[in-house]
Amino acid sequence: KAGVTQTPRYLIKTRGQQVTLSCSPISGHRSVSWYQQTPGQGLQFLFEYFSETQRNKGNFPGRFSGRQFSNSRSEMNVSTLELGDSALYLCASSLEAGGPYEQYFGPGTRLTVT
Amino acid sequence: AQSVTQLDSQVPVFEEAPVELRCNYSSSVSVYLFWYVQYPNQGLQLLLKYLSGSTLVKGINGFEAEFNKSQTSFHLRKPSVHISDTAEYFCAVSDFTGGGNKLTFGTGTQLKVEL
């Protein structure tokens, strides 16, 4: 079974631009979570989607948004990029929501904002 | 609110020596505990998890962890490390409230195995 895939793997953007990252969960998994990883703040939860509905949201500004499609694929969008948004964005999928279901992580998208 | 403290940011150890990576958590409700490993330029891989039952949990690659409720700890151990164990290790906690899978992570411990 294929693992979690994230595209693109690397991205360079300029301040003020917007960006969309994509995540395809493991086949059959219906829950997708997003995390931001930075050297300063570590791993922080962004949001989780299940059955096209946002189930949980972390403490991030409204510039960060996401959605999930009927095939469980998910996208996250960051508008008006800031230098501090440079990070590794990780997507994780699990079979269902509500735990304790194991989360499988993708390789991440490395976003650099210049 | 939950929090996770990993007391050591870096742990150097010689190959074939034992290692313990420390993790303490704080939560007002029952929690589930996890250890993940991250190799350079990769995502996170689950090493082991504690959901309930036996407090000694065995995971992949020879790692094990012990859940201690009174000390609110979940330390990771391996009796004999290999060079390939060099990676960053993250402890995480979740109470799965709100019907979600949100994980709260510690700041990570960089394990460096030397010859």
Side-chain angles (χ1 to χ4, degrees), chain B residues 37 63 77:
Chain B
V37 61
F63 283 94
R77 302 185 184 102

Side-chain angles (χ1 to χ4, degrees), chain A residues 9 31 35 37 43 45 48 55-56 94 96-100 102-103 105-107, chain B residues 32 36 38 41-44 46 49 51 90 96-103 105:
Chain A
R9 290 293 311 277
S31 172
Y35 294 83
Q37 185 177 23
L43 280 154
F45 172 78
E48 178 190 5
R55 296 296 296 267
N56 258 321
S94 59
E96 300 283 342
E102 180 174 340
Q103 294 194 52
F105 283 80
Chain B
Y32 303 104
Y36 283 86
Q38 186 176 35
N41 299 314
Q42 293 188 28
L44 301 173
L46 182 68
K49 59 188 175 189
L51 305 180
F90 293 92
F96 296 105
T97 53
N101 288 332
K102 175 187 172 183
L103 291 170
F105 286 91

